Amino acid sequence: MVKTIYADSYCSNQSTFIRILNALIDYQWTDVKITKEDLTPDLLKAFMDCTHGIIDLITGLYSALQHEALITDRKTKINEFFVRKVAKKYYPNLMKTIDNIDASEYDRTRLAEIEEANKLMKKDICKQSDIEHERTISKSKISHPIRIC
């Protein structure tokens, strides 16, 4: 039996998600700062909707928010509407992909890819086993030559 390790399990962990955002708000360059109290359910939902809890996307979006606030108006209040607007501006293609993550077609495709990868790995293991078997036979022929009289 093959045990599956889900490397993305942290993405759906709400406490991990909030800890990441709490750590990020220490890094702000705008005049209007986000506080822990500003991390309302609506703001958290906007971040989650736009990143699916993926750390790389969270930090990228957060940087884009800071950048956009600086180039538009340093007094911009970062709220759920601003988060969605910036995500659409800086990550338009990524947003399309993220929107499909929950689609059943995505799961079917992902499972099919996993299945195909498992088949290829098993095939490689069989090939490697055959190669090792041939090497063993070759070595035994060399070390014990047959004498023909």
Side-chain angles (χ1 to χ4, degrees):
M1 183 170 118
V2 176
K3 181 174 171 128
T4 304
I5 299 171
Y6 296 99
D8 63 346
S9 61
Y10 76 88
C11 295
S12 57
N13 186 313
Q14 186 72 15
S15 64
T16 300
F17 179 69
I18 292 170
R19 269 187 294 171
I20 293 167
L21 286 175
N22 276 325
L24 282 175
I25 62 174
D26 288 339
Y27 305 95
Q28 298 183 60
W29 301 276
T30 59
D31 292 339
V32 180
K33 307 291 186 206
I34 303 171
T35 64
K36 290 182 182 190
E37 292 76 32
D38 293 326
L39 295 176
T40 63
D42 289 337
L43 183 60
L44 293 172
K45 182 172 178 1
F47 262 101
M48 181 58 86
D49 290 348
C50 295
T51 65
H52 267 265
I54 300 167
I55 291 173
D56 181 54
L57 300 180
I58 296 168
T59 56
L61 177 57
Y62 186 80
S63 293
L65 290 168
Q66 294 294 311
H67 173 75
E68 186 69 13
L70 283 172
I71 64 171
T72 55
D73 178 7
R74 293 181 64 93
K75 297 195 185 316
T76 299
K77 178 72 173 164
I78 295 176
N79 57 29
E80 62 272 15
F81 305 108
F82 189 66
V83 168
R84 292 179 193 282
K85 178 182 132 187
V86 170
K88 284 179 185 171
K89 177 178 178 181
Y90 289 95
Y91 299 103
N93 294 325
L94 188 59
M95 292 300 101
K96 291 175 194 170
T97 303
I98 286 177
D99 289 342
N100 291 324
I101 285 178
D102 290 328
S104 60
E105 183 60 33
Y106 173 82
D107 283 340
R108 279 194 296 274
T109 303
R110 184 177 58 81
L111 291 173
E113 288 174 3
I114 290 169
E115 225 173 274
E116 185 61 28
N118 285 336
K119 286 179 189 175
L120 290 172
M121 283 188 283
K122 284 179 184 177
K123 191 175 180 180
D124 285 344
I125 289 169
C126 287
K127 280 183 187 177
Q128 188 61 35
S129 178
D130 289 346
I131 290 168
E132 290 299 322
H133 182 69
E134 287 176 15
R135 284 184 186 151
T136 302
I137 291 172
S138 294
K139 284 181 184 177
S140 70
K141 285 181 184 177
I142 293 171
S143 62
H144 304 293
I146 299 174
R147 295 177 69 187
I148 300 176
C149 299

